[in-house]
Amino acid sequence: MASIGRSQEAISNGAAMAAFLAAGIGAFALGVIVILNETGLFAAPALYAPAGGVTGRTTLAAAIWLIGWAVLHRRWRDRQVEARVVFALSLLGIGVGIVLTLPPVWKLF
Amino acid sequence: MDTMLFTERSLWTMLHGMALGGGALMGLAIALFSLRAMRFSGAPGATADRQALYLTWLIVATAALLWSSVLAGTYVTFPAYRAAPPEGIADLAPYPKALIQSVPGTAWLHSFAMEAKEHVPWIAAMLATAVAFVGLRYRAKLLGDRQLNDMATVLVAICFVLVSFVALLGVLVNKVAPVE
């Protein structure tokens, strides 16, 4: 049973998809945090005053990324997941996240 | 009176931009090329295993350089850039952000360029880390599995574009208002 589990772990794509989707979640989270900050709805506290609020925003986004990755990895590491759908979601998160961090977009909110 | 050729702040800026960021950019370019050029089909042989090993360590090193650049930029260079000038000071050169914002023609270098540089590199670092992890875990499969290879290639390509973008913005900002 242990060898079957190891074999399955070796060929399943779950761990890879977890990593990719987590990156999408992290990017999306950062974009949302930036928009919340720019609209005055939520400002993550600065962790290092000389650098300002960016330290809080990025640390919060990094925490969401890592926690999301840990959860996804735990659930998917021994599984074969639907790669196309998951990767599409990852790209969506990355794309939206990038766009939301760009200043011209802030004016829309 | 002795004059320092480079201040500590400018050395940190060069480290952030050219050594760490530039190194990461080169690593990404090589990784992008390698992901395509070293693809194979069928069972991996010794050559494929060795190539995958080199590529994996390249991507890991690139991710490390990228994170180093991001952290140095955020916690060392950025504070020097955004330091507020004392009241009534005439020479704003030691205060890059204030200098940029004092001239309407250069204000966009802060309101767009630096604002974008605050966050975009963090996304690039997350992407690079994801690909580095996949390389470490899957090794030769990163080159032999078509789907995995395609996905990794896309993410590395996005990462390369993002890092190129922020690097260019950094060059423009430093050209007008260098951190000295």
Side-chain angles (χ1 to χ4, degrees), chain A:
Chain A
M1 187 67 75
S3 62
I4 292 174
R6 192 190 301 267
S7 169
Q8 184 177 14
E9 187 177 285
I11 62 172
S12 67
N13 68 356
M17 301 319 301
F20 293 158
L21 184 58
I25 291 171
F28 181 76
L30 183 55
V32 170
I33 291 167
V34 168
I35 289 297
L36 289 176
N37 181 73
E38 292 302 318
T39 55
L41 291 173
F42 171 73
L47 298 187
Y48 180 54
V54 66
T55 54
R57 293 190 293 275
T58 53
T59 300
L60 180 57
I64 293 171
W65 164 55
L66 291 173
I67 291 170
W69 192 354
V71 170
L72 288 170
H73 181 78
R74 195 174 173 86
R75 289 174 68 98
W76 287 357
R77 62 186 174 191
D78 295 326
R79 291 173 52 187
Q80 188 72 10
V81 301
E82 179 51 55
R84 287 175 196 259
V85 172
V86 173
F87 194 61
L89 287 173
S90 306
L91 291 180
L92 183 64
I94 292 165
V96 172
I98 291 170
V99 167
L100 292 181
T101 61
L102 297 178
V105 176
W106 304 344
K107 297 185 177 69
L108 302 175
F109 290 87

Side-chain angles (χ1 to χ4, degrees), chain B residues 61-76:
Chain B
T62 299
L65 283 172
L66 200 42
W67 275 113
S68 299
S69 179
V70 167
L71 292 172
T74 300
Y75 289 94
V76 181

Side-chain angles (χ1 to χ4, degrees), chain B residues 12 17 33 44 46 58 63 69 78 80 91 94 104-105 119 137 146 159 161 166 177:
Chain B
W12 271 106
F33 173 80
L58 169 70
S69 179
F78 190 57
D91 181 17
H119 305 106
R137 188 175 178 92
R146 181 66 177 254
C159 195
V161 170
V166 296

